[in-house]
Amino acid sequence: SVAVTGAPPTVLVDKLIHASLYHGCAAAGVRPVRFRHNDVSHLEALLHKVEGAGLKIVLTESVFSMDGDRADMVALAAVCRANGAFLCVDEAHATGILGEDGKGLADGQADLVMGTFSKALGGMGAFVASSSAVCRWLENSGSGYIYSTAPSPMVLGAVEAALDLLPRPEMERVRVRVADLAERFRRHMQAGGLDTGPSSTQIVPVVVGREETALALSRSVEAAGFLAIAIRPPTVPPGACRLRVVLHAQHTVEQVDALAEAIFSGVRDIP
Ligand SMILES: Cc1ncc(COP(=O)(O)O)c(C=O)c1O
């Protein structure tokens, strides 16, 4: 267990966390210390160097939004435990779609989990799950929470219905289906010599390098009926521009195959 003290905290973040988490640090007046992406040894070395009595907070995502890769939750939890650090995990891209009953990947590993209702659950708004002491503390000290209106009953009804569905056996089949579609798409890309980075989830980047290439490719797949956004700096590093493809349960195998064809044809047409 970790106690909240008056001393300033040290917040250690995976370099590739989502902009919203960096904004959270800025709003809290905290300058985060960054560890190399998914590099638990680097995090451990940095934790050893932290001085002072303040809380050590580690902030990461379980599925990274632009690469579709996963954090090693077991290793992160072990390092945090060994160093008295409080582990917070953003499960935006795991809630509902990964883990047992769609509970995400940090279940039982993190001290605090946050997630959004806006992705797999099809609603909007977000949640934080932690010990009741931490939740009460956040309710009473988080100004963004205190000074904003609660979600509407319509949204909460939709979210509640989605949460009821998650543990049902047919939803497990849906989760497997989405994973299979993503794997099929990755195989197509890789067989055609394209780079899908470290993706192992429903988020599959097709890394093409230059900004102009990513934009032209996005336009050409759109003309073929597919929406795949070009992601460019500062969201990704220069030279790592990409199409960000996200598979969902209503996609069909035929659509995945047709998208792959549209991407290959677009790549062939780019000078
Ligand atoms: C990792 C991550 N966290 C948080 C958010 C924010 O979620 P919302 O748009 O529901 O506020 C996103 C949204 O894109 C995200 O990718």
Side-chain angles (χ1 to χ4, degrees), residues 18 20-21 61 63 65 90 92-93 116-119 125-126 244:
H18 192 253
S20 57
L21 297 170
E61 278 165 50
V63 173
S65 55
D90 182 339
H93 298 287
T116 174
F117 299 135
S118 69
K119 300 189 191 290
R244 179 172 180 266

Side-chain angles (χ1 to χ4, degrees), residues 76-261:
L76 276 168
V79 163
C80 288
R81 254 194 316 275
N83 290 278
F86 188 84
L87 177 59
C88 301
V89 180
D90 182 339
E91 293 250 66
H93 298 287
T95 304
I97 185 86
L98 294 172
E100 193 196 340
D101 292 342
K103 281 188 220 157
L105 301 177
D107 187 33
Q109 305 289 345
D111 298 298
L112 181 151
V113 164
M114 63 198 105
T116 174
F117 299 135
S118 69
K119 300 189 191 290
L121 302 189
M124 62 187 300
F127 66 88
V128 169
S130 187
S131 68
S132 60
V134 168
C135 291
R136 293 299 83 76
W137 178 70
L138 287 173
E139 279 168 10
N140 288 289
S141 60
S143 66
Y145 176 80
I146 293 168
Y147 298 107
S148 60
T149 310
S152 75
M154 287 175 299
V155 166
L156 289 177
V159 168
E160 194 175 14
L163 288 173
D164 285 344
L165 286 177
L166 288 188
R168 294 211 192 153
E170 66 267 28
M171 294 311 286
E172 187 54 30
R173 288 195 287 278
V174 169
R175 286 189 279 270
V176 169
R177 195 184 135 64
V178 175
D180 288 348
L181 288 174
E183 184 56 25
R184 184 181 181 94
F185 179 67
R186 271 190 295 272
R187 291 226 181 102
H188 277 316
M189 292 298 101
Q190 288 157 10
L194 292 176
D195 176 9
T196 56
S199 160
S200 69
T201 64
Q202 72 283 359
I203 299 171
V204 187
V206 180
V207 184
V208 292
R210 292 164 58 238
E211 220 168 315
E212 299 75 16
T213 312
L215 285 169
L217 196 53
S218 177
R219 274 195 299 271
S220 89
V221 299
E222 191 174 351
F226 298 100
L227 182 64
I229 305 285
I231 309 286
R232 299 170 286 151
T235 309
V236 293
C241 296
R242 63 198 60 192
L243 288 197
R244 179 172 180 266
V245 173
V246 185
L247 282 309
H248 64 60
Q250 269 73 50
H251 288 137
T252 62
V253 163
E254 291 72 28
Q255 285 172 330
V256 166
D257 295 353
L259 171 61
E261 270 317 306

Side-chain angles (χ1 to χ4, degrees), residues 6-84:
T10 303
V11 180
L12 300 104
V13 306
D14 186 292
K15 187 169 179 270
L16 293 191
I17 53 166
H18 192 253
S20 57
L21 297 170
Y22 280 115
H23 293 163
C25 291
V30 165
R31 177 186 270 257
V33 178
R34 304 196 303 171
F35 59 93
R36 286 191 291 270
H37 177 52
N38 267 346
D39 187 339
V40 179
S41 318
H42 189 214
L43 168 64
E44 191 170 25
L46 292 174
L47 278 168
H48 288 163
K49 285 195 208 151
V50 175
E51 286 167 5
L55 188 60
K56 289 182 253 184
I57 299 174
V58 173
L59 185 53
T60 188
E61 278 165 50
S62 54
V63 173
F64 287 85
S65 55
M66 294 302 138
D67 290 280
D69 57 340
R70 307 165 191 233
D72 182 343
M73 291 312 314
V74 173
L76 276 168
V79 163
C80 288
R81 254 194 316 275
N83 290 278

